[in-house]
Amino acid sequence: MANPLHDPDFVAGLRTVPTGGVGGLLGRTARPITGVTPAGDPTAITFDAADVRPVLLAFLSVDCLGCEAYWEGLSDAADGTGLLEPGLAAVRPVVVTRGPGVVAPEAVASVACRLGSVPVVMSSEAWDDFLVSSYPFFVVVDPVTGTVASETVGMEWADVHACIAAVRSP
């Protein structure tokens, strides 16, 4: 079997993985997220200065091997000390999946049940609003300014932590 990296047509179709921002959204006003919970209840996430912690939007899928570590890290620790992934206490995490027309609410509910305090919003519109075309993808919104402060593809937790660190701390 030939190495595809030696095929000029294959290489020409490759794109670099964006980190530190994919462009287009940084500094733009973040639109509120509206959708439904996995149980089908209407829900909304707004960005206002009432809670000054940056909002970490985790755009995840239920059928993505690369997303599993993020579903797990965003879960509440059994001892009640917070989220399993260290360093997330300074942000307000929110998981956003595609809407019920694209993904089965039962599938989302089966993984979301481990998240405890982290809200899950099913909203394909949010994926469009935040220009998300792949997953796992993360966006940090500064609630004081109501703007997108940072974004990255999540290759590992270090990418997410760097995305968070790029935003001023409360």
Side-chain angles (χ1 to χ4, degrees):
M1 182 166 148
N3 183 338
L5 294 177
H6 297 289
D7 178 354
D9 292 330
F10 176 81
V11 173
L14 295 177
R15 294 181 296 160
T16 58
V17 174
T19 58
V22 295
L25 274 188
L26 296 179
R28 287 185 39 197
T29 299
R31 294 182 59 178
I33 296 175
T34 58
V36 297
T37 67
D41 300 321
T43 189
I45 302 297
T46 59
F47 311 108
D48 56 43
D51 185 342
V52 296
R53 293 177 298 161
V55 180
L56 174 67
L57 301 174
F59 291 88
L60 303 177
S61 176
V62 295
D63 59 356
C64 158
L65 291 177
C67 295
E68 288 179 6
Y70 299 110
W71 283 105
E72 182 179 322
L74 290 165
S75 298
D76 284 334
D79 62 4
T81 57
L83 303 181
L84 287 176
E85 177 61 24
L88 296 182
V91 297
R92 181 169 53 120
V94 176
V95 172
V96 185
T97 69
R98 295 254 186 211
V102 179
V103 63
E106 303 81 28
V108 176
S110 71
V111 291
C113 65
R114 299 178 293 187
L115 297 185
S117 63
V118 176
V120 176
V121 181
M122 298 183 70
S123 173
S124 293
E125 183 178 296
W127 286 58
D128 293 339
D129 288 346
F130 286 89
L131 306 177
V132 178
S133 61
S134 63
Y135 45 80
F137 193 80
F138 297 85
V139 174
V140 178
V141 175
D142 181 343
V144 174
T145 63
T147 60
V148 174
S150 184
E151 56 186 353
T152 191
V153 171
M155 301 299 281
E156 60 185 358
W157 274 109
D159 299 322
V160 178
H161 289 292
C163 189
I164 294 168
V167 181
R168 59 137 192 88
S169 298

Short mmCIF file of all heavy atoms in Angstrom, two decimals, residues 45-111:
data_model
loop_
_atom_site.label_atom_id
_atom_site.label_comp_id
_atom_site.label_asym_id
_atom_site.label_seq_id
_atom_site.Cartn_x
_atom_site.Cartn_y
_atom_site.Cartn_z
N ILE A 45 -28.48 29.48 26.90
CA ILE A 45 -27.25 29.92 27.56
C ILE A 45 -27.00 31.34 27.09
O ILE A 45 -26.91 31.61 25.89
CB ILE A 45 -26.04 29.02 27.16
CG1 ILE A 45 -26.30 27.56 27.52
CG2 ILE A 45 -24.75 29.54 27.79
CD1 ILE A 45 -26.46 27.28 29.00
N THR A 46 -26.91 32.26 28.05
CA THR A 46 -26.65 33.65 27.72
C THR A 46 -25.28 34.05 28.24
O THR A 46 -24.73 33.41 29.12
CB THR A 46 -27.73 34.57 28.30
OG1 THR A 46 -27.75 34.41 29.72
CG2 THR A 46 -29.10 34.25 27.72
N PHE A 47 -24.76 35.10 27.68
CA PHE A 47 -23.45 35.61 28.07
C PHE A 47 -23.63 37.01 28.60
O PHE A 47 -23.88 37.95 27.84
CB PHE A 47 -22.51 35.59 26.86
CG PHE A 47 -22.52 34.28 26.13
CD1 PHE A 47 -23.14 34.16 24.90
CD2 PHE A 47 -21.97 33.15 26.70
CE1 PHE A 47 -23.16 32.96 24.23
CE2 PHE A 47 -21.99 31.94 26.05
CZ PHE A 47 -22.60 31.83 24.81
N ASP A 48 -23.55 37.13 29.93
CA ASP A 48 -23.68 38.45 30.54
C ASP A 48 -22.74 38.52 31.72
O ASP A 48 -22.17 37.53 32.15
CB ASP A 48 -25.13 38.72 30.95
CG ASP A 48 -25.68 37.65 31.90
OD1 ASP A 48 -24.96 37.24 32.83
OD2 ASP A 48 -26.82 37.23 31.70
N ALA A 49 -22.55 39.71 32.21
CA ALA A 49 -21.57 39.94 33.27
C ALA A 49 -22.05 39.49 34.64
O ALA A 49 -21.34 39.67 35.63
CB ALA A 49 -21.18 41.41 33.29
N ALA A 50 -23.26 38.90 34.75
CA ALA A 50 -23.73 38.42 36.05
C ALA A 50 -22.79 37.35 36.61
O ALA A 50 -22.56 37.27 37.81
CB ALA A 50 -25.15 37.87 35.93
N ASP A 51 -22.24 36.51 35.75
CA ASP A 51 -21.24 35.52 36.14
C ASP A 51 -20.02 35.84 35.28
O ASP A 51 -20.03 35.67 34.07
CB ASP A 51 -21.75 34.10 35.84
CG ASP A 51 -20.81 33.02 36.32
OD1 ASP A 51 -19.62 33.32 36.57
OD2 ASP A 51 -21.25 31.87 36.45
N VAL A 52 -18.97 36.36 35.92
CA VAL A 52 -17.83 36.86 35.16
C VAL A 52 -16.84 35.79 34.75
O VAL A 52 -15.83 36.09 34.11
CB VAL A 52 -17.09 37.99 35.93
CG1 VAL A 52 -17.99 39.19 36.11
CG2 VAL A 52 -16.55 37.48 37.25
N ARG A 53 -17.11 34.53 35.10
CA ARG A 53 -16.22 33.46 34.63
C ARG A 53 -16.37 33.30 33.12
O ARG A 53 -17.48 33.33 32.60
CB ARG A 53 -16.56 32.12 35.30
CG ARG A 53 -16.29 32.08 36.79
CD ARG A 53 -16.72 30.76 37.36
NE ARG A 53 -18.18 30.60 37.17
CZ ARG A 53 -18.82 29.44 37.23
NH1 ARG A 53 -18.16 28.33 37.48
NH2 ARG A 53 -20.13 29.38 37.04
N PRO A 54 -15.25 33.12 32.41
CA PRO A 54 -15.36 32.84 30.98
C PRO A 54 -16.20 31.59 30.76
O PRO A 54 -16.18 30.66 31.56
CB PRO A 54 -13.91 32.60 30.55
CG PRO A 54 -13.08 33.31 31.58
CD PRO A 54 -13.86 33.19 32.87
N VAL A 55 -16.95 31.57 29.66
CA VAL A 55 -17.80 30.43 29.33
C VAL A 55 -17.05 29.56 28.33
O VAL A 55 -16.65 30.03 27.26
CB VAL A 55 -19.14 30.89 28.74
CG1 VAL A 55 -20.01 29.69 28.40
CG2 VAL A 55 -19.86 31.82 29.70
N LEU A 56 -16.85 28.30 28.70
CA LEU A 56 -16.19 27.33 27.83
C LEU A 56 -17.26 26.51 27.13
O LEU A 56 -17.96 25.72 27.76
CB LEU A 56 -15.27 26.41 28.63
CG LEU A 56 -14.64 25.26 27.84
CD1 LEU A 56 -13.65 25.78 26.80
CD2 LEU A 56 -13.95 24.28 28.79
N LEU A 57 -17.42 26.75 25.83
CA LEU A 57 -18.38 25.99 25.04
C LEU A 57 -17.64 24.80 24.43
O LEU A 57 -16.68 24.97 23.66
CB LEU A 57 -18.96 26.85 23.93
CG LEU A 57 -19.70 28.11 24.36
CD1 LEU A 57 -20.11 28.94 23.15
CD2 LEU A 57 -20.91 27.75 25.21
N ALA A 58 -18.08 23.60 24.80
CA ALA A 58 -17.48 22.37 24.29
C ALA A 58 -18.43 21.77 23.26
O ALA A 58 -19.50 21.27 23.62
CB ALA A 58 -17.23 21.39 25.43
N PHE A 59 -18.08 21.87 22.00
CA PHE A 59 -18.89 21.31 20.92
C PHE A 59 -18.46 19.86 20.74
O PHE A 59 -17.37 19.59 20.22
CB PHE A 59 -18.72 22.12 19.64
CG PHE A 59 -19.33 23.49 19.73
CD1 PHE A 59 -18.61 24.56 20.22
CD2 PHE A 59 -20.65 23.70 19.34
CE1 PHE A 59 -19.17 25.83 20.30
CE2 PHE A 59 -21.23 24.96 19.42
CZ PHE A 59 -20.49 26.02 19.91
N LEU A 60 -19.31 18.94 21.21
CA LEU A 60 -18.96 17.52 21.23
C LEU A 60 -20.01 16.68 20.50
O LEU A 60 -21.14 17.11 20.31
CB LEU A 60 -18.85 17.03 22.68
CG LEU A 60 -17.87 17.76 23.59
CD1 LEU A 60 -17.93 17.18 25.00
CD2 LEU A 60 -16.46 17.67 23.04
N SER A 61 -19.60 15.47 20.17
CA SER A 61 -20.51 14.49 19.57
C SER A 61 -20.51 13.24 20.44
O SER A 61 -19.56 12.98 21.19
CB SER A 61 -20.03 14.15 18.16
OG SER A 61 -20.84 13.14 17.59
N VAL A 62 -21.55 12.46 20.32
CA VAL A 62 -21.65 11.22 21.10
C VAL A 62 -20.99 10.05 20.39
O VAL A 62 -20.74 9.02 21.01
CB VAL A 62 -23.11 10.87 21.44
CG1 VAL A 62 -23.71 11.93 22.34
CG2 VAL A 62 -23.95 10.69 20.19
N ASP A 63 -20.71 10.18 19.11
CA ASP A 63 -20.12 9.07 18.35
C ASP A 63 -18.70 9.39 17.88
O ASP A 63 -18.27 8.95 16.83
CB ASP A 63 -21.01 8.71 17.18
CG ASP A 63 -21.23 9.87 16.21
OD1 ASP A 63 -20.74 10.98 16.50
OD2 ASP A 63 -21.88 9.65 15.18
N CYS A 64 -17.98 10.14 18.69
CA CYS A 64 -16.64 10.60 18.34
C CYS A 64 -15.65 10.07 19.38
O CYS A 64 -15.75 10.41 20.55
CB CYS A 64 -16.65 12.13 18.32
SG CYS A 64 -15.08 12.95 18.53
N LEU A 65 -14.71 9.24 18.92
CA LEU A 65 -13.72 8.70 19.86
C LEU A 65 -12.89 9.81 20.49
O LEU A 65 -12.54 9.74 21.65
CB LEU A 65 -12.82 7.69 19.15
CG LEU A 65 -13.47 6.39 18.72
CD1 LEU A 65 -12.47 5.52 17.96
CD2 LEU A 65 -14.02 5.64 19.93
N GLY A 66 -12.59 10.85 19.72
CA GLY A 66 -11.81 11.96 20.25
C GLY A 66 -12.54 12.80 21.27
O GLY A 66 -11.94 13.56 22.02
N CYS A 67 -13.87 12.66 21.32
CA CYS A 67 -14.68 13.44 22.27
C CYS A 67 -14.79 12.76 23.63
O CYS A 67 -15.13 13.42 24.62
CB CYS A 67 -16.09 13.66 21.72
SG CYS A 67 -16.14 14.68 20.22
N GLU A 68 -14.52 11.46 23.68
CA GLU A 68 -14.72 10.71 24.94
C GLU A 68 -13.97 11.31 26.12
O GLU A 68 -14.51 11.42 27.21
CB GLU A 68 -14.33 9.25 24.75
CG GLU A 68 -15.31 8.48 23.91
CD GLU A 68 -14.91 7.03 23.70
OE1 GLU A 68 -13.92 6.57 24.30
OE2 GLU A 68 -15.60 6.36 22.91
N ALA A 69 -12.72 11.73 25.90
CA ALA A 69 -11.93 12.30 27.00
C ALA A 69 -12.55 13.59 27.52
O ALA A 69 -12.46 13.90 28.71
CB ALA A 69 -10.50 12.56 26.54
N TYR A 70 -13.22 14.32 26.63
CA TYR A 70 -13.84 15.59 27.05
C TYR A 70 -15.14 15.34 27.80
O TYR A 70 -15.42 16.01 28.79
CB TYR A 70 -14.03 16.50 25.85
CG TYR A 70 -12.71 16.83 25.20
CD1 TYR A 70 -12.37 16.32 23.96
CD2 TYR A 70 -11.76 17.61 25.87
CE1 TYR A 70 -11.14 16.60 23.39
CE2 TYR A 70 -10.54 17.90 25.31
CZ TYR A 70 -10.23 17.39 24.07
OH TYR A 70 -9.01 17.66 23.51
N TRP A 71 -15.93 14.38 27.33
CA TRP A 71 -17.14 14.01 28.09
C TRP A 71 -16.74 13.58 29.50
O TRP A 71 -17.36 13.98 30.48
CB TRP A 71 -17.90 12.88 27.41
CG TRP A 71 -18.70 13.27 26.20
CD1 TRP A 71 -18.38 13.03 24.89
CD2 TRP A 71 -19.97 13.94 26.18
NE1 TRP A 71 -19.37 13.53 24.08
CE2 TRP A 71 -20.35 14.08 24.84
CE3 TRP A 71 -20.81 14.44 27.18
CZ2 TRP A 71 -21.54 14.69 24.44
CZ3 TRP A 71 -21.99 15.05 26.79
CH2 TRP A 71 -22.35 15.17 25.44
N GLU A 72 -15.68 12.79 29.59
CA GLU A 72 -15.23 12.31 30.90
C GLU A 72 -14.68 13.45 31.76
O GLU A 72 -15.03 13.59 32.93
CB GLU A 72 -14.15 11.25 30.72
CG GLU A 72 -13.65 10.67 32.04
CD GLU A 72 -12.60 9.60 31.84
OE1 GLU A 72 -12.72 8.81 30.89
OE2 GLU A 72 -11.66 9.57 32.65
N GLY A 73 -13.83 14.30 31.20
CA GLY A 73 -13.22 15.39 31.96
C GLY A 73 -14.21 16.43 32.43
O GLY A 73 -13.99 17.10 33.44
N LEU A 74 -15.32 16.56 31.72
CA LEU A 74 -16.35 17.53 32.10
C LEU A 74 -17.34 16.94 33.10
O LEU A 74 -18.26 17.63 33.54
CB LEU A 74 -17.09 18.04 30.86
CG LEU A 74 -16.25 18.95 29.97
CD1 LEU A 74 -16.90 19.11 28.60
CD2 LEU A 74 -16.02 20.31 30.62
N SER A 75 -17.14 15.69 33.47
CA SER A 75 -18.03 15.03 34.43
C SER A 75 -17.70 15.47 35.85
O SER A 75 -16.55 15.80 36.17
CB SER A 75 -17.87 13.51 34.35
OG SER A 75 -18.24 13.04 33.09
N ASP A 76 -18.71 15.46 36.69
CA ASP A 76 -18.51 15.79 38.10
C ASP A 76 -17.74 14.65 38.80
O ASP A 76 -18.02 13.47 38.55
CB ASP A 76 -19.86 15.96 38.82
CG ASP A 76 -20.53 17.28 38.49
OD1 ASP A 76 -19.81 18.24 38.15
OD2 ASP A 76 -21.75 17.36 38.58
N ALA A 77 -16.80 15.03 39.65
CA ALA A 77 -16.06 14.04 40.44
C ALA A 77 -17.00 13.42 41.47
O ALA A 77 -17.87 14.10 42.03
CB ALA A 77 -14.87 14.70 41.13
N ALA A 78 -16.83 12.14 41.71
CA ALA A 78 -17.71 11.42 42.64
C ALA A 78 -17.64 12.00 44.06
O ALA A 78 -18.62 11.94 44.79
CB ALA A 78 -17.32 9.94 42.67
N ASP A 79 -16.51 12.59 44.42
CA ASP A 79 -16.38 13.12 45.78
C ASP A 79 -16.92 14.54 45.91
O ASP A 79 -16.80 15.16 46.96
CB ASP A 79 -14.92 13.06 46.24
CG ASP A 79 -13.98 13.91 45.38
OD1 ASP A 79 -14.47 14.62 44.46
OD2 ASP A 79 -12.77 13.88 45.62
N GLY A 80 -17.48 15.09 44.83
CA GLY A 80 -18.09 16.41 44.90
C GLY A 80 -17.11 17.56 44.84
O GLY A 80 -17.46 18.70 45.10
N THR A 81 -15.86 17.28 44.48
CA THR A 81 -14.84 18.34 44.46
C THR A 81 -14.84 19.17 43.18
O THR A 81 -14.05 20.08 43.03
CB THR A 81 -13.44 17.75 44.66
OG1 THR A 81 -13.20 16.78 43.63
CG2 THR A 81 -13.29 17.11 46.02
N GLY A 82 -15.72 18.86 42.26
CA GLY A 82 -15.76 19.61 41.00
C GLY A 82 -15.65 18.68 39.82
O GLY A 82 -15.97 17.50 39.90
N LEU A 83 -15.19 19.22 38.71
CA LEU A 83 -15.07 18.43 37.49
C LEU A 83 -13.81 17.57 37.52
O LEU A 83 -12.82 17.93 38.15
CB LEU A 83 -15.06 19.35 36.28
CG LEU A 83 -16.28 20.27 36.14
CD1 LEU A 83 -16.16 21.13 34.89
CD2 LEU A 83 -17.56 19.47 36.11
N LEU A 84 -13.87 16.44 36.84
CA LEU A 84 -12.72 15.52 36.84
C LEU A 84 -11.48 16.15 36.23
O LEU A 84 -10.37 15.89 36.69
CB LEU A 84 -13.08 14.23 36.09
CG LEU A 84 -14.03 13.30 36.83
CD1 LEU A 84 -14.39 12.10 35.97
CD2 LEU A 84 -13.42 12.83 38.15
N GLU A 85 -11.63 16.97 35.22
CA GLU A 85 -10.47 17.61 34.61
C GLU A 85 -10.05 18.80 35.46
O GLU A 85 -10.83 19.74 35.66
CB GLU A 85 -10.79 18.07 33.19
CG GLU A 85 -9.67 18.81 32.50
CD GLU A 85 -8.40 18.00 32.31
OE1 GLU A 85 -8.47 16.74 32.28
OE2 GLU A 85 -7.33 18.61 32.18
N PRO A 86 -8.82 18.77 35.97
CA PRO A 86 -8.36 19.89 36.81
C PRO A 86 -8.27 21.19 36.02
O PRO A 86 -8.04 21.18 34.81
CB PRO A 86 -6.96 19.45 37.26
CG PRO A 86 -6.83 18.02 36.88
CD PRO A 86 -7.83 17.73 35.83
N GLY A 87 -8.44 22.28 36.68
CA GLY A 87 -8.26 23.58 36.06
C GLY A 87 -9.49 24.18 35.41
O GLY A 87 -9.40 25.22 34.78
N LEU A 88 -10.64 23.53 35.55
CA LEU A 88 -11.84 24.07 34.93
C LEU A 88 -12.69 24.87 35.90
O LEU A 88 -13.74 25.38 35.52
CB LEU A 88 -12.68 22.94 34.30
CG LEU A 88 -12.02 22.19 33.15
CD1 LEU A 88 -12.97 21.15 32.60
CD2 LEU A 88 -11.56 23.14 32.05
N ALA A 89 -12.23 25.03 37.13
CA ALA A 89 -13.02 25.77 38.13
C ALA A 89 -13.16 27.25 37.77
O ALA A 89 -14.10 27.90 38.20
CB ALA A 89 -12.37 25.63 39.51
N ALA A 90 -12.24 27.77 36.96
CA ALA A 90 -12.27 29.19 36.61
C ALA A 90 -13.18 29.50 35.43
O ALA A 90 -13.32 30.65 35.05
CB ALA A 90 -10.85 29.67 36.30
N VAL A 91 -13.82 28.47 34.86
CA VAL A 91 -14.70 28.69 33.72
C VAL A 91 -16.08 28.12 34.00
O VAL A 91 -16.27 27.34 34.93
CB VAL A 91 -14.15 28.06 32.41
CG1 VAL A 91 -12.84 28.71 32.01
CG2 VAL A 91 -14.03 26.57 32.53
N ARG A 92 -17.03 28.54 33.18
CA ARG A 92 -18.38 27.98 33.25
C ARG A 92 -18.55 27.11 32.00
O ARG A 92 -18.81 27.60 30.90
CB ARG A 92 -19.40 29.12 33.27
CG ARG A 92 -20.84 28.64 33.37
CD ARG A 92 -21.81 29.79 33.65
NE ARG A 92 -21.71 30.91 32.73
CZ ARG A 92 -22.72 31.32 31.97
NH1 ARG A 92 -23.89 30.73 31.98
NH2 ARG A 92 -22.56 32.36 31.18
N PRO A 93 -18.36 25.79 32.14
CA PRO A 93 -18.44 24.92 30.96
C PRO A 93 -19.88 24.63 30.54
O PRO A 93 -20.78 24.52 31.36
CB PRO A 93 -17.74 23.64 31.42
CG PRO A 93 -17.89 23.62 32.89
CD PRO A 93 -17.99 25.05 33.34
N VAL A 94 -20.06 24.51 29.23
CA VAL A 94 -21.34 24.15 28.63
C VAL A 94 -21.04 23.21 27.47
O VAL A 94 -20.17 23.51 26.64
CB VAL A 94 -22.08 25.39 28.08
CG1 VAL A 94 -23.36 24.99 27.37
CG2 VAL A 94 -22.36 26.40 29.18
N VAL A 95 -21.71 22.07 27.41
CA VAL A 95 -21.56 21.16 26.28
C VAL A 95 -22.65 21.46 25.27
O VAL A 95 -23.82 21.61 25.64
CB VAL A 95 -21.62 19.68 26.73
CG1 VAL A 95 -21.65 18.75 25.53
CG2 VAL A 95 -20.45 19.35 27.65
N VAL A 96 -22.26 21.55 24.00
CA VAL A 96 -23.22 21.80 22.93
C VAL A 96 -23.11 20.65 21.92
O VAL A 96 -22.03 20.42 21.37
CB VAL A 96 -22.96 23.15 22.23
CG1 VAL A 96 -24.04 23.43 21.20
CG2 VAL A 96 -22.85 24.28 23.23
N THR A 97 -24.21 19.94 21.71
CA THR A 97 -24.26 18.91 20.69
C THR A 97 -25.13 19.40 19.54
O THR A 97 -25.81 20.42 19.67
CB THR A 97 -24.85 17.58 21.22
OG1 THR A 97 -26.25 17.76 21.47
CG2 THR A 97 -24.13 17.11 22.47
N ARG A 98 -25.12 18.68 18.47
CA ARG A 98 -26.04 18.99 17.38
C ARG A 98 -27.46 18.78 17.89
O ARG A 98 -27.69 18.09 18.87
CB ARG A 98 -25.79 18.09 16.18
CG ARG A 98 -24.43 18.32 15.57
CD ARG A 98 -24.57 19.05 14.29
NE ARG A 98 -23.28 19.14 13.62
CZ ARG A 98 -22.96 20.14 12.87
NH1 ARG A 98 -23.81 21.13 12.69
NH2 ARG A 98 -21.81 20.18 12.27
N GLY A 99 -28.42 19.35 17.20
CA GLY A 99 -29.82 19.28 17.61
C GLY A 99 -30.45 17.93 17.40
O GLY A 99 -29.89 17.05 16.74
N PRO A 100 -31.65 17.74 17.97
CA PRO A 100 -32.36 16.47 17.91
C PRO A 100 -32.63 15.96 16.49
O PRO A 100 -32.78 14.77 16.28
CB PRO A 100 -33.68 16.73 18.63
CG PRO A 100 -33.42 17.92 19.48
CD PRO A 100 -32.38 18.72 18.76
N GLY A 101 -32.67 16.83 15.51
CA GLY A 101 -32.87 16.38 14.14
C GLY A 101 -31.64 15.70 13.55
O GLY A 101 -31.71 15.03 12.54
N VAL A 102 -30.49 15.88 14.22
CA VAL A 102 -29.23 15.34 13.72
C VAL A 102 -28.73 14.20 14.60
O VAL A 102 -28.16 13.23 14.11
CB VAL A 102 -28.16 16.45 13.64
CG1 VAL A 102 -26.83 15.92 13.15
CG2 VAL A 102 -28.64 17.59 12.76
N VAL A 103 -28.92 14.32 15.90
CA VAL A 103 -28.45 13.31 16.84
C VAL A 103 -29.61 12.90 17.74
O VAL A 103 -30.46 13.73 18.09
CB VAL A 103 -27.24 13.83 17.67
CG1 VAL A 103 -27.61 15.02 18.52
CG2 VAL A 103 -26.63 12.75 18.52
N ALA A 104 -29.64 11.64 18.10
CA ALA A 104 -30.73 11.12 18.94
C ALA A 104 -30.60 11.64 20.37
O ALA A 104 -29.54 11.48 20.98
CB ALA A 104 -30.72 9.60 18.94
N PRO A 105 -31.64 12.27 20.90
CA PRO A 105 -31.59 12.76 22.28
C PRO A 105 -31.23 11.65 23.28
O PRO A 105 -30.54 11.90 24.26
CB PRO A 105 -33.00 13.29 22.53
CG PRO A 105 -33.48 13.68 21.17
CD PRO A 105 -32.90 12.66 20.24
N GLU A 106 -31.67 10.41 23.03
CA GLU A 106 -31.35 9.31 23.94
C GLU A 106 -29.85 9.05 23.98
O GLU A 106 -29.30 8.72 25.03
CB GLU A 106 -32.07 8.02 23.51
CG GLU A 106 -33.57 8.13 23.41
CD GLU A 106 -34.05 8.77 22.09
OE1 GLU A 106 -33.35 8.67 21.04
OE2 GLU A 106 -35.10 9.41 22.12
N ALA A 107 -29.18 9.18 22.84
CA ALA A 107 -27.74 8.98 22.79
C ALA A 107 -27.01 10.06 23.57
O ALA A 107 -26.05 9.79 24.29
CB ALA A 107 -27.26 8.95 21.34
N VAL A 108 -27.49 11.29 23.44
CA VAL A 108 -26.88 12.40 24.19
C VAL A 108 -27.15 12.21 25.68
O VAL A 108 -26.25 12.35 26.51
CB VAL A 108 -27.41 13.77 23.71
CG1 VAL A 108 -26.84 14.90 24.57
CG2 VAL A 108 -27.05 13.98 22.24
N ALA A 109 -28.37 11.83 26.04
CA ALA A 109 -28.72 11.63 27.45
C ALA A 109 -27.86 10.55 28.09
O ALA A 109 -27.49 10.66 29.26
CB ALA A 109 -30.20 11.27 27.58
N SER A 110 -27.50 9.52 27.32
CA SER A 110 -26.72 8.42 27.89
C SER A 110 -25.31 8.84 28.31
O SER A 110 -24.74 8.28 29.23
CB SER A 110 -26.65 7.24 26.92
OG SER A 110 -25.82 7.55 25.82
N VAL A 111 -24.73 9.85 27.65
CA VAL A 111 -23.42 10.35 28.08
C VAL A 111 -23.55 11.59 28.95
O VAL A 111 -22.72 11.83 29.82
CB VAL A 111 -22.48 10.61 26.88
CG1 VAL A 111 -22.06 9.33 26.22
CG2 VAL A 111 -23.09 11.56 25.89
#
